[in-house]
């Protein structure tokens, strides 16, 4: 099976019946990991390669209340890490970000997203290969969708000027988010010397 190609819905594995349980509080900041979150917060969701490093990019950003890693954008409900790694669910590894829009805006989160990985690599990120590592923005509103497309066009120009190819990032409506196993949550805080395959292009989103 080619793990660099999305499957038809009929080819994906059946839904799992059990949801994955995670700790109630964030290892880094002690805030809530599950709904309901405090009033006034917004949600963003991105896939940019291995979710260990992706989550670390966001948890210390001022205004970010909580981060969680999981699976989204595919077909199978309540998948396991093994399911996703086998390329049988169409899910991407994602980080969900709960943030205070009064302290950090969505455009700033998009900038961190673009600058933290190479969005021109298709179904991989560095040495990590497979559909789970694809670049994806999952939007929760028309405002997020507009900002995402605008930032894609802006960053594409910067990448093209630097000699990179076309961005392969997809922008999709946010689907259900399925938590990854608890040991994946804040993995690089629990394992400071752990693997992180993320690497940006060195191109910034500056004007």
């Amino acid at each position: 099976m080619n793990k660099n190609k999305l499957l038809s819905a009929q080819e994906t594995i059946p839904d799992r019946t059990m949801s994955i349980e995670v700790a109630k509080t964030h290892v880094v900041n002690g805030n809530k990991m599950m709904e309901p979150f405090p009033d006034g917060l917004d949600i963003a969701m991105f896939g940019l390669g291995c979710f260990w490093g992706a989550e670390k990019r966001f948890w210390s950003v001022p205004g970010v209340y909580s981060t969680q890693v999981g699976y989204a954008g595919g077909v199978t409900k309540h998948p396991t890490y093994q399911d996703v790694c086998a390329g049988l669910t169409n899910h991407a590894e994602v980080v969900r970000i709960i943030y205070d829009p009064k302290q950090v805006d969505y455009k700033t989160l998009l900038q961190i997203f673009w600058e933290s990985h190479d969005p021109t690599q298709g179904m991989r990120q560095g040495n990590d290969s497979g559909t789970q590592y694809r670049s994806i923005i999952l939007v929760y509103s028309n405002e997020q969708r507009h900002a995402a497309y605008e930032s894609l066009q802006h960053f594409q120009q910067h990448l093209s000027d630097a000699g990179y190819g076309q961005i392969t990032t997809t922008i999709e409506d946010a689907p259900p988010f399925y938590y990854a196993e608890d040991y994946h949550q804040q993995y690089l805080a629990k394992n400071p010397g752990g693997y992180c395959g993320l690497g940006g292009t060195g191109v910034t989103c500056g004007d």
Side-chain angles (χ1 to χ4, degrees):
M1 186 187 72
N2 182 1
K3 291 199 294 183
N4 290 317
K5 182 180 179 182
L6 291 170
L7 305 177
S8 68
Q10 292 73 28
E11 294 175 301
T12 58
I13 61 173
D15 297 338
R16 300 283 187 180
T17 57
M18 298 291 292
S19 59
I20 290 172
E21 295 186 3
V22 300
K24 294 181 179 180
T25 57
H26 197 281
V27 167
V28 176
N29 60 31
N31 290 333
K32 294 178 66 172
M33 286 282 289
M34 292 172 284
E35 294 89 342
F37 297 111
D39 292 341
L41 302 183
D42 282 346
I43 304 176
M45 196 185 325
F46 305 116
L48 54 154
C50 176
F51 51 21
W52 294 344
E55 185 182 22
K56 186 178 180 180
R57 292 290 196 273
F58 292 97
W59 70 44
S60 61
V61 175
V64 169
Y65 171 83
S66 183
T67 56
Q68 308 94 42
V69 295
Y71 316 113
V75 177
T76 305
K77 295 179 180 179
H78 308 297
T80 67
Y81 185 60
Q82 288 72 26
D83 295 338
V84 174
C85 287
L88 297 173
T89 69
N90 283 358
H91 285 298
E93 293 189 16
V94 299
V95 55
R96 188 174 68 163
I97 303 149
I98 314 302
Y99 68 100
D100 184 347
K102 294 179 180 178
Q103 296 185 55
V104 59
D105 61 17
Y106 187 65
K107 290 183 179 180
T108 298
L109 300 179
L110 283 168
Q111 180 174 348
I112 296 168
F113 165 80
W114 292 119
E115 294 180 359
S116 295
H117 73 304
D118 181 348
T120 69
Q121 294 190 325
M123 298 297 182
R124 70 181 182 89
Q125 196 59 217
N127 292 327
D128 294 327
S129 179
T131 56
Q132 77 203 75
Y133 301 114
R134 67 190 185 274
S135 178
I136 186 170
I137 301 173
L138 298 159
V139 299
Y140 286 88
S141 65
N142 287 331
E143 290 77 13
Q144 285 193 357
R145 183 180 297 102
H146 176 77
Y149 277 112
E150 188 176 68
S151 71
L152 186 154
Q153 294 169 354
H154 180 76
F155 196 51
Q156 180 65 72
Q157 185 60 58
H158 285 272
L159 286 174
S160 298
D161 291 345
Y164 284 87
Q166 290 297 303
I167 288 173
T168 58
T169 306
T170 59
I171 299 170
E172 304 171 21
D173 290 340
F177 169 80
Y178 300 104
Y179 286 90
E181 292 79 353
D182 191 59
Y183 73 92
H184 290 300
Q185 306 297 332
Q186 298 90 60
Y187 180 87
L188 292 178
K190 300 171 183 174
N191 303 274
Y195 168 79
C196 177
L198 282 192
T201 59
V203 178
T204 69
C205 291
D207 293 334

